[in-house]
Amino acid sequence: MIGKHFIGGTWCDSRGSGTIPVRSPDDGAVFAELARGGADDIDAAVAAARTAFEGEWGRTPAVERGRILARTARLIEANAEELAGIEARDCGKPMKQARADITAVARYFEFYGGAADKFHGEQIPYLEGYTVMVKRDPRGVTGHIIPWNYPAQMFGRTIGGSLAAGNACVLKPAEEACLSVLRLTELLQEAGLPAGALNVVTGYGEEAGAALANHPGIDFISFTGSPEVGTLVQQASAAHHRGCTLELGGKSPQIVFEDADFAKALPYITNAIVQNAGQTCSAGSRLLVQRAVLDRFVPLLQERFAALRVGASGDDLECGPLISKTQLERVRSYVERAESDGLKLLAEATIADGASPGGYYCAPRLYGPVPADNVLAREEVFGPILSLIPFEDELDAIRLANGGDFGLVAGVWTENGARQMRVANAMRCGQVFVNGYGAGAGIELPFGGVGRSGHGREKGMEALREFTMAKTIVFNHG
Ligand code: NAP
Ligand code: MG
């Protein structure tokens, strides 16, 4: 299936010409080719989805939709090692990360398989002689555009929820990372998904992606990626008067108060910026530490950063390469800017001996103190670069944490229960972790942002609200 699109239940060639090389982030070598989809392929995929929605798939009862998704979950588990190997090679993820991602995608299908027939509408008490019901109807044909950082997980999150709700889907994965998506699509087919319920077109964002975002035959769009492309997707949605969810990344704060349990916090704080080489929308990339404990806290963190090792996916170290040369250059430009701004490098990890010179390796770095208005404290780097920002007291911490353009996740580290509650309530973002961190695994927890992080919620039952629309039916039987 590599090199093909999946349209109307069959694997097919591109209607246009050209292919897209697939490079390994470990060494930069080309090892596969993808089909380069365009507007004609998207047209065919949208038409197939519409046919499915108005046909067999649209008539499939919720319980049966659930069973197909649950069977998919079991197939993913049965093929987990193969899928993890595909994801690791395609994205340069250490195997332990790839395995965790496959566990999560199985969980998405398990969760949405169970949820499909348990997401109910409501009945509203109205006037004498009336009965009112509010149904949750599927949107119809949903478009899905996902990024390269967690392709398997994103597939489970967006496709699992949408299929559970009864929609027919058209997916355009990121051209940098499609291979697990194609294999997962095969497993859905094997689980008995009717033709056209899911269609996958691989291709470049400016071609297949733009064609999908602008297609008049789509009823709703779920997008995850950069704020810039998110704007284009929302503009296209506006032109067609349809809804969209946008998940656009963040600059999430981790707030360490003087009474925090350092031993508990340190592994989470390190992992939150090193996981997936920092290419995580919910990366904890701003570390706010109360000034009174800087002297005690920072050396412990420096020690951890210095001990981290970066290597190829197969070496399964703490950190793998970045996804692409473009991303490596992008992260390097932030490092160069940090140097020219005179920011102090507090710690740097090591790239393992034997890492291929052709790979996209970037050592995790800790800078601080970083002024709150510096680029490194404000922009999403999408790499393993952590900015340390000191704060004075609780009000100062809240002001700094809420100060940027983004609002996705926050971490609050304190043993004081009242402060936990006050600060969590004050955070302007979609998820807050108190004495813990990690948005990825909790697939049942609603997730999404405010401001430049986007809008709408995915994951959990909340996603089913987005992937359906309320339809009110009023019976006058008086
Ligand atoms: P991106 O360009 O926004 O890509 C996200 C998805 O949108 C990909 O499938 C992409 O396709 C597609 N796309 C690109 N241009 C499009 C267009 N004009 N119309 C419709 N779809 C389009 O993100 P990126 O270039 O991969 O990464 C750039 C930065 O975005 C990162 O450094 C990071 O800051 C942020 N980002 C955030 C997340 C997140 O999880 N929130 C994920 C990835 C990136 P192609 O990739 O195939 O071109
Ligand atoms: Mg890209």
Side-chain angles (χ1 to χ4, degrees):
M1 70 302 182
I2 299 174
K4 305 264 185 197
H5 305 303
F6 185 65
I7 298 175
T10 51
W11 294 94
C12 54
D13 293 324
S14 258
R15 281 142 183 84
S17 59
T19 54
I20 299 173
V22 180
R23 285 180 193 279
S24 160
D26 288 336
D27 56 15
V30 174
F31 68 95
E33 278 184 342
L34 297 170
R36 180 173 166 177
D40 291 348
D41 301 294
I42 292 291
D43 272 348
V46 173
R50 181 64 59 193
T51 303
F53 183 70
E54 288 172 359
E56 185 188 348
W57 177 242
R59 289 193 298 273
T60 303
V63 62
E64 186 53 32
R65 296 201 301 268
R67 283 183 186 132
I68 294 167
L69 299 183
R71 279 201 293 275
T72 305
R74 288 194 289 274
L75 285 169
I76 294 169
E77 283 162 356
N79 293 279
E81 203 52 22
E82 180 211 340
L83 282 161
I86 293 173
E87 192 76 330
R89 184 166 193 211
D90 199 17
C91 306
K93 289 174 193 259
M95 272 303 280
K96 50 182 161 293
Q97 176 67 48
R99 288 193 183 103
D101 289 3
I102 301 308
T103 301
V105 66
R107 271 290 291 140
Y108 275 114
F109 281 96
E110 181 180 54
F111 179 87
Y112 285 117
D117 61 351
K118 296 170 195 69
F119 183 63
H120 303 153
E122 54 187 1
Q123 185 270 321
I124 296 180
Y126 188 45
L127 304 172
E128 174 62 19
Y130 284 82
T131 298
V132 177
M133 65 166 95
V134 182
K135 294 178 66 205
R136 300 300 314 193
D137 279 358
R139 298 267 185 184
V141 174
T142 50
H144 305 258
I145 299 175
I146 60 174
W148 41 256
N149 53 348
Y150 292 91
Q153 282 208 48
M154 295 287 165
F155 180 88
R157 177 169 116 185
T158 190
I159 298 302
S162 190
L163 289 176
N167 300 297
C169 307
V170 179
L171 169 68
K172 207 299 284 178
E175 102 273 348
E176 303 284 9
C178 291
L179 303 188
S180 65
V181 164
L182 296 172
R183 182 71 183 113
L184 287 162
T185 300
E186 265 190 337
L187 295 180
L188 265 160
Q189 188 183 18
E190 196 180 324
L193 188 73
L198 169 64
N199 305 275
V200 180
V201 175
T202 59
Y204 290 113
E206 302 72 23
E207 298 173 2
L212 180 56
N214 288 286
H215 204 287
I218 296 287
D219 299 307
F220 187 79
I221 295 241
S222 156
F223 173 81
T224 302
S226 62
E228 294 72 21
V229 178
T231 302
L232 298 177
V233 169
Q234 181 150 5
Q235 281 166 346
S237 300
H240 293 290
H241 310 288
R242 64 182 169 227
C244 61
T245 51
L246 302 181
E247 202 271 89
L248 309 177
K251 191 73 188 177
S252 296
Q254 296 257 29
I255 313 172
V256 179
F257 285 96
E258 58 190 349
D259 65 337
D261 179 341
F262 291 177
K264 187 174 178 190
L266 280 160
Y268 280 96
I269 287 170
T270 311
N271 187 51
I273 188 65
V274 173
Q275 176 182 325
N276 216 41
Q279 304 164 119
T280 303
C281 49
S282 56
S285 52
R286 283 192 296 156
L287 177 60
L288 275 50
V289 179
Q290 193 153 12
R291 199 177 292 281
V293 291
L294 271 181
D295 289 353
R296 278 200 296 127
F297 186 82
V298 173
L300 298 172
L301 188 63
Q302 283 173 304
E303 206 176 301
R304 282 191 167 264
F305 258 71
L308 294 167
R309 292 155 312 151
V310 187
S313 55
D315 296 340
D316 208 11
L317 303 177
E318 292 80 29
C319 185
L322 300 179
I323 187 79
S324 63
K325 190 158 177 280
T326 309
Q327 192 64 16
L328 181 61
E329 280 164 4
R330 184 185 145 95
V331 175
R332 276 190 183 149
S333 75
Y334 279 103
V335 168
E336 280 159 20
R337 176 76 191 262
E339 312 280 308
S340 67
D341 285 353
L343 297 180
K344 189 171 172 198
L345 179 65
L346 295 172
E348 185 178 5
T350 38
I351 297 176
D353 292 343
S356 164
Y360 313 129
Y361 300 96
C362 174
R365 286 168 160 242
L366 170 66
Y367 284 99
V370 178
D373 59 354
N374 186 275
V375 170
L376 209 61
R378 288 190 289 106
E379 293 186 9
E380 184 179 48
V381 175
F382 232 58
I385 312 294
L386 183 58
S387 300
L388 174 84
I389 304 162
F391 70 86
E392 304 302 331
D393 55 20
E394 190 176 311
L395 280 181
D396 194 27
I398 292 170
R399 181 185 61 79
L400 286 167
N402 287 341
D405 299 334
F406 293 97
L408 193 60
V409 181
V412 181
W413 296 92
T414 171
E415 294 295 296
N416 178 327
R419 175 180 280 162
Q420 292 172 356
M421 197 63 89
R422 280 194 305 270
V423 178
N425 280 326
M427 289 298 98
R428 188 175 160 276
C429 62
Q431 266 191 356
V432 184
F433 288 88
V434 177
N435 292 343
Y437 202 83
I443 60 101
E444 51 281 89
L445 311 179
F447 178 77
V450 299
R452 198 167 160 80
S453 292
H455 55 76
R457 296 292 176 264
E458 294 202 328
K459 308 177 81 164
M461 299 301 278
E462 198 69 20
L464 298 180
R465 302 185 75 80
E466 301 280 5
F467 286 127
T468 55
M469 57 181 175
K471 188 204 274 170
T472 309
I473 305 181
V474 182
F475 297 91
N476 176 355
H477 45 76

